[in-house]
Amino acid sequence: MKEDTSVVNILDKITKDEDPESEIKMKLGKLLKQLDLHLLNRSLKHISLEICLNPTIVKNDIELLKHFSGKGEQTVLESIDYTSDYEFSNGCRAPPWRQIHGEICYVLVKPHDVEALCITCSAEGVFLNGGKTDDEGEINYERKSEIYKDLVTFLKEKSAKFSENMSKQDVRFSEEWKKEKEEPKEAPKKEEAAAPHKALPASGKSMLEKNQINFGRSQMTKRLEPSLNWKATVDFKEHKSLLRDTQEEKHGGRLERSGPPVSPGRAQLVRKSAEKIEEMISESSSESEEDEEPPDHRQEANADLPSEYWQIQKLVKYLKGGNQTATVIALCSMKDFNLAQETCQLAIRDVGGLEVLINLLDTDEVKCKIGSLKILKEISHNPQIRRNIVDLGGLPILVNILDSPHKSLKCLAAETIANVAKFRRARRAVRHHGGITKLVALLDCAQNSEPAQSSLYDARDVEVARCGALALWSCSKSYANKEAIRKAGGIPLLAGLLKTSHENMLIPVVGTLQECASEENYRAAIKAERIIENLVKNLNSENEQLQEHCAMAIYQCAEDKETRDLVRLHGGLKPLASLLNNTDNKERLAAVTGAIWKCSISKENVTKFREYKAIETLVGLLTDQPEEVLVNVVGALGECCQEYENRVLVRKCGGIQPLVNLLVGINQTLLVNVTKAVGACAVEPESMMIIDRLDGVRLLWSLLKNPHPDVKASAAWALCPCIQNAKDAGEMVRSFVGGLELVVNLLKSDNKEVLASVCAAITNIAKDQENLAVITDHGVVPLLSKLANTNNDKLRRHLAEAISRCCMWGRNRVTFGEYKAVAPLVRYLRSNDANVHRATAQALYQLSEDADNCITMHENGAVKLLLDMVGSPDQDLQEAAAGCISNIRRLALATEKARYT
Amino acid sequence: TQLKIHVGLPKTLTTNIKKSEVECLLRVFHSLVEKANVRLNNFGLDRNAFRAILHSIFGMTDDMLMNRVFFAFDKDNDNCINAKEWVKGLSVFLRGTFEEKLKFCFEVYYLNSDGYISREEIFDMLKNSLHQQSSEEETDEGIKELVDITLKKMDFDNDGKISFADFEKAVKEERLLLEVFGPCLPEAKVQCQ
């Protein structure tokens, strides 16, 4: 527009004087102007192609179209609606996992002349999607049309009526758009490029405007006030769902790039999520769900405030404006409120009490500090308050107080830290301010006290150490803190504290150790510091929580063989076995069964467990238990069943039926353990009959389709003894429709364990000629050949066995040679694993029946290697190596003979 | 020679202090008395001298409370603290058991010797506890409310005043209330060492 007027101006100026020279000037000016405009238009076209849609634009489009939709001939559309009512804070309505693809929202549009369209609005543009699927109201997200640059263009293309009625709308329509342009939003508007709009019925104007304003405002308030309404009683379920929503919002915020103009709130979200990533890198995985940031509830001005709110407000006034005496009185009085109640906790914060309480910690007034800490200690049980304390910079101050000579101050500060450090950011803050070292130093108190000192001092020192352990327990959920505790010399101190008999002390100490035992360094130290002995001792305690943590710590440490032996030597197996009989406390039961599982990896321990009748009890626990318990029980049985006596025992106790029943679960860890246990049982022909009768083999086979590689591998391993021991195994295997094809296709996996297990299964399947023929048809030979170039000895062994089995059919021997499986196999002979040697020699023996293979072997230096193998003490290996050499030799002789005759 | 005369005295006291410490306290007392009372009689410390000691040695600042501490020390109400009162008072100050301190603080806080801390007395003791607000009336109002809060917390039998039983119960529940109406014991920093 501006350009146009300037042209006119120039024209005016030039045409005033009628100089012929100025006429040329005018022409030149006009030409230049045209070029200028042309260039601008061109560049605009290019730019507009690159501009993406964002939620605000889409929202405005839809909002606007809504106003021109409805019944009657004059409207542009019959209806236009979102598919989802929920809008995320970034303005998107698409679920987070679709937002990743840049999708903003989905709209259902019913034009006048064509049938309803389900449209995806994404950052790249607008397109038709697969529509709503009938049953669940889910949307088929797949693109079914070209991508259009915006909704209006799209609809113009799809609906003639829309296009027609749209052009009837007047300039006001475009005025509306212009107004939007003037709004302080950086987002470029691509509607500029849209076709000019004509008449708009005047009636629509006021309504439209009003709505536009309202709409704008509601959006603004949404941006500025991300918090959710505060309610006195938060329904737990609601709380949860809100929590999930904020999580999703964050998710969206992080992944969506071409978003709307970045508002301060959003920027914060993005920053927060970035921070989160950083935290995730530095923190350990053992953190609980509690780490989720809960939504921030703020007291709303018009909400009905409880009377406590006003009373607390008054007290905070005294905290702010009083001297030490008044402050102490106010603090003591505040402590009389029910600080465990959320109303009071939030009231203290909402009237600004939290800042004052934290400020008090920074003064020299010991009494004020004590009073303040006593309150903070209570209210920090609330997850929101914890976050507020951290946000207000409370942690560095709390950490500093740990240095105070005043023991009760130290205790209170440590207890408060124990409460606050329940989420990542706080734990990190404790570490960054040197809190871990100071907390570890608190543990030292109890050690230093001389026996000569009075018992009063002793008790107080013990209390300081207890509080320190409590805080460390909370902090130890982060990986970096575990490391910091170790570096600060915490392990020997914790080991020392374990020798005390104070239950209150033992629980946080064992809790910390148990948390830290997830780290290799700790497990080694736990062994070295003779901690196992004390853990075992405390298994006999009366306190269930203590027993639980001890069992848990043993569970963590008993991956190590020496530790398992130590548990046995210190008599820990008996209390573990007897704790199995009490099944009411599920947490403890889970810990105890976990410890038994890990301990039973050692045979000697299994023998003990059998002695203590633990195996029968374990079988009894196979039903009606939570998954955490089942995983461990089944894991333990899997270990026990490696021995004949126990397999018999499990069968006699009726353990096979419940085990097979568990094969249909979905818990990954449980499935891995169950398949292992069933596989162990299947070694016994009698047990195998039961498994077969219960259709266990089919269930195992189905698990080969499980998405998780561990489950696949474990199921494949379990199938091996099943096929070995089933009566009429060949027929059974054939009866699984598509089963053989499934197995062969698993050879395409890239997981070594899966490959090894499937090779083992194929070895067993191929014992049946008919099945071997089927898998050959499914292309087992090329797939096996492809795997030959591996360095993994486990895979090599089972692969070689499978190859040697598969040679038994048709011209498979030749095919293996054609697919170049022979040369890599020869290299297996250089491995250090005797099992690999045996399997390879057998495979080569089979392959050497084919002349070409013999040549390949000879070329790759197999003869020398095989000659060494002939001297092996392993008879099978000897035999196979010798057989192979003889085949090669015979071929050579035949060739020579052929040459001279 | 003076020392020997007085050594006999404290033996009748129940204190937590060793004999050598008593001697030491007495020595300090005499040197203080000598310093303070060059002009006056030689019987003991008068109020001003005692307040100066409270301020310089024990870090107390509140005039009114120092007066009250003086009266609590001065058992025989002769406006002068003699050697016996000195040793007895300081034994509470320095080595007092919880019960002794409790009793001492209560004595400091009630003035008119009726055995109760009245509402008026509380008001008196707390009247300087708020930083000056806009007007005097407002401050007064604030202090009145603070007195109410205190009474609500400590007056268990609801008679509008605090008896020793009330006081004892409240302090046993919350140790911070021991010096509820102002500091009258040596500072905690000194205590915990």
Side-chain angles (χ1 to χ4, degrees), chain A residues 319 327 331 355-363 368-369 372:
Chain A
L319 290 185
T327 304
L331 287 171
E355 287 91 331
V356 188
L357 288 173
I358 291 172
N359 281 344
L360 282 175
L361 299 182
D362 233 355
T363 62
C368 294
K369 286 194 206 179
S372 165

Side-chain angles (χ1 to χ4, degrees), chain A residues 575-592:
Chain A
L576 281 174
S578 65
L579 282 173
L580 272 185
N581 294 313
N582 187 333
T583 60
D584 294 336
N585 182 338
K586 296 299 176 198
E587 279 89 21
R588 191 185 57 177
L589 188 60
V592 168

Side-chain angles (χ1 to χ4, degrees), chain A residues 311 314-315 317-318 320-326 328-330 332-333 335-337 364 366-368 370-371 374 405-406 457, chain B residues 126 128-131 133 141-146 149-150 152-153 173-177 179-183 188-189 192-193:
Chain A
Q311 292 165 350
K314 199 190 287 172
L315 291 175
K317 201 178 72 195
Y318 289 112
K320 283 178 180 163
N323 68 359
Q324 192 204 351
T325 309
V328 171
I329 293 174
C332 292
S333 179
K335 237 192 70 199
D336 286 345
F337 285 91
D364 286 333
V366 175
K367 271 181 275 181
C368 294
I370 291 180
K374 279 182 173 174
H406 208 285
Y457 274 92
Chain B
L126 293 181
N128 293 323
S129 69
L130 290 188
H131 300 307
Q133 277 165 342
E141 200 55 42
I143 289 171
K144 258 187 203 140
E145 274 183 38
L146 189 60
I149 290 169
T150 324
K152 194 180 152 209
K153 175 133 191 70
E173 272 176 19
E174 175 51 79
R175 291 270 186 132
L176 289 177
L177 291 174
E179 293 175 84
V180 57
F181 302 120
K189 257 186 266 174
C192 72
Q193 274 160 13

Side-chain angles (χ1 to χ4, degrees), chain A residues 96-393:
Chain A
W97 62 92
R98 296 304 301 177
Q99 288 184 27
I100 294 169
H101 303 285
E103 295 185 3
I104 297 164
C105 63
Y106 312 97
V107 275
L108 273 172
V109 178
K110 178 77 191 82
H112 289 297
D113 46 354
V114 287
E115 50 176 72
L117 306 163
C118 191
I119 300 166
T120 302
C121 300
S122 81
E124 290 145 3
V126 176
F127 57 82
L128 193 66
N129 60 37
K132 277 206 171 185
T133 51
D134 306 355
D135 39 358
E136 287 138 330
E138 283 282 342
I139 294 164
N140 180 359
Y141 297 111
E142 211 169 300
R143 187 158 67 85
K144 300 281 182 189
S145 76
E146 274 175 33
I147 300 180
Y148 293 83
K149 67 187 171 69
D150 63 22
L151 204 55
V152 175
T153 325
F154 175 84
L155 288 169
K156 275 187 175 169
E157 194 65 37
K158 293 282 166 192
S159 158
K161 189 84 183 171
F162 175 83
S163 180
E164 183 192 324
N165 284 355
M166 197 65 183
S167 53
K168 281 186 199 151
Q169 311 296 344
D170 90 349
V171 193
R172 304 209 187 278
F173 206 116
S174 61
E175 266 178 16
E176 281 306 325
W177 262 322
K178 221 177 271 166
K179 206 187 271 165
E180 278 171 42
K181 269 179 253 165
E182 283 153 21
E183 277 176 24
K185 282 172 190 157
E186 297 98 300
K189 298 281 160 177
K190 55 180 319 193
E191 281 80 4
E192 281 175 67
H197 306 285
K198 288 162 208 157
L200 173 90
S203 60
K205 186 198 170 189
S206 62
M207 185 185 73
L208 192 68
E209 260 176 7
K210 203 172 124 203
N211 194 274
Q212 194 71 31
I213 292 160
N214 280 345
F215 167 63
R217 193 183 298 145
S218 69
Q219 196 187 23
M220 282 303 277
T221 45
K222 208 155 200 169
R223 285 266 163 76
L224 294 171
E225 195 90 74
S227 68
L228 297 147
N229 291 352
W230 184 86
K231 280 181 195 142
T233 50
V234 180
D235 179 323
F236 178 69
K237 217 169 145 190
E238 185 187 33
H239 188 83
K240 265 278 192 195
S241 75
L242 289 176
L243 191 136
R244 199 168 45 240
D245 287 345
T246 42
Q247 288 295 102
E248 281 170 357
E249 276 172 35
K250 258 179 216 160
H251 200 58
R254 188 164 70 225
L255 294 157
E256 219 248 303
R257 266 189 208 103
S258 56
V262 176
S263 67
R266 225 183 98 84
Q268 205 175 3
L269 274 184
V270 173
R271 188 175 51 73
K272 248 189 191 164
S273 55
E275 199 177 82
K276 239 187 157 168
I277 294 172
E278 196 230 306
E279 276 174 12
M280 271 146 95
I281 293 165
S282 75
E283 307 289 339
S284 123
S285 56
S286 63
E287 318 217 11
S288 60
E289 262 175 49
E290 229 207 306
D291 294 323
E292 318 276 345
E293 304 242 351
D296 209 13
H297 297 303
R298 284 278 168 187
Q299 208 116 15
E300 220 177 76
N302 56 1
D304 277 338
L305 296 170
S307 64
E308 288 98 331
Y309 183 90
W310 305 112
Q311 292 165 350
I312 286 173
Q313 188 172 42
K314 199 190 287 172
L315 291 175
V316 169
K317 201 178 72 195
Y318 289 112
L319 290 185
K320 283 178 180 163
N323 68 359
Q324 192 204 351
T325 309
T327 304
V328 171
I329 293 174
L331 287 171
C332 292
S333 179
M334 195 181 277
K335 237 192 70 199
D336 286 345
F337 285 91
N338 183 359
L339 296 177
Q341 203 183 321
E342 194 174 42
T343 326
C344 294
Q345 295 166 343
L346 296 184
I348 291 178
R349 179 193 69 183
D350 292 343
V351 299
L354 216 46
E355 287 91 331
V356 188
L357 288 173
I358 291 172
N359 281 344
L360 282 175
L361 299 182
D362 233 355
T363 62
D364 286 333
E365 303 288 355
V366 175
K367 271 181 275 181
C368 294
K369 286 194 206 179
I370 291 180
S372 165
L373 280 173
K374 279 182 173 174
I375 293 167
L376 286 172
K377 186 184 95 178
E378 295 303 323
I379 62 176
S380 56
H381 284 291
N382 182 315
Q384 295 181 52
I385 302 283
R386 279 175 208 151
R387 275 160 223 281
N388 298 131
I389 292 176
V390 177
D391 292 339
L392 291 168

Side-chain angles (χ1 to χ4, degrees), chain A residues 404-601:
Chain A
S404 153
H406 208 285
K407 281 176 187 151
S408 44
L409 265 182
K410 279 190 207 179
C411 285
L412 288 165
E415 278 181 289
T416 312
I417 291 175
N419 285 341
V420 175
K422 292 250 161 73
F423 64 104
R424 288 197 194 105
R425 199 153 48 90
R427 286 194 277 265
R428 205 168 40 143
V430 173
R431 181 176 68 249
H432 285 183
H433 291 98
I436 301 291
T437 326
K438 288 178 187 175
L439 287 170
V440 169
L442 295 191
L443 301 181
D444 213 2
C445 290
Q447 327 258 294
N448 284 352
S449 58
E450 308 275 315
Q453 267 182 322
S454 72
S455 62
L456 177 80
Y457 274 92
D458 213 352
R460 272 215 263 160
D461 284 328
V462 170
E463 181 64 10
V464 170
R466 187 188 73 86
C467 296
L470 216 51
L472 284 176
W473 189 12
S474 291
C475 290
S476 65
K477 293 201 167 63
S478 296
Y479 166 73
N481 282 349
K482 293 178 193 182
E483 203 46 31
I485 295 172
R486 196 178 59 86
K487 283 196 181 133
I491 304 177
L493 291 173
L494 287 169
L497 290 176
L498 256 191
K499 296 190 181 91
T500 62
S501 50
H502 312 275
E503 234 162 55
N504 289 339
M505 172 77 91
L506 287 170
I507 290 173
V509 168
V510 178
T512 311
L513 284 172
Q514 169 237 305
E515 204 64 68
C516 292
S518 61
E519 302 309 310
E520 180 54 46
N521 278 334
Y522 271 90
R523 292 199 288 270
I526 284 172
K527 204 162 49 176
E529 298 278 351
R530 304 162 53 82
I531 287 176
I532 297 291
E533 187 181 336
N534 286 302
L535 289 177
V536 167
K537 192 182 82 194
N538 287 314
L539 276 178
N540 293 314
S541 140
E542 291 289 299
N543 186 306
E544 296 197 356
Q545 208 190 349
L546 184 54
Q547 291 171 335
E548 178 195 329
H549 292 306
C550 287
M552 199 65 195
I554 293 175
Y555 164 70
Q556 299 260 30
C557 296
E559 290 272 0
D560 173 81
K561 184 178 180 312
E562 264 179 77
T563 308
R564 292 196 291 269
D565 293 339
L566 281 174
V567 174
R568 182 181 66 252
L569 293 176
H570 291 299
L573 301 179
K574 191 165 191 181
L576 281 174
S578 65
L579 282 173
L580 272 185
N581 294 313
N582 187 333
T583 60
D584 294 336
N585 182 338
K586 296 299 176 198
E587 279 89 21
R588 191 185 57 177
L589 188 60
V592 168
T593 49
I596 291 183
W597 170 20
K598 294 298 174 186
C599 286
S600 57
I601 297 173

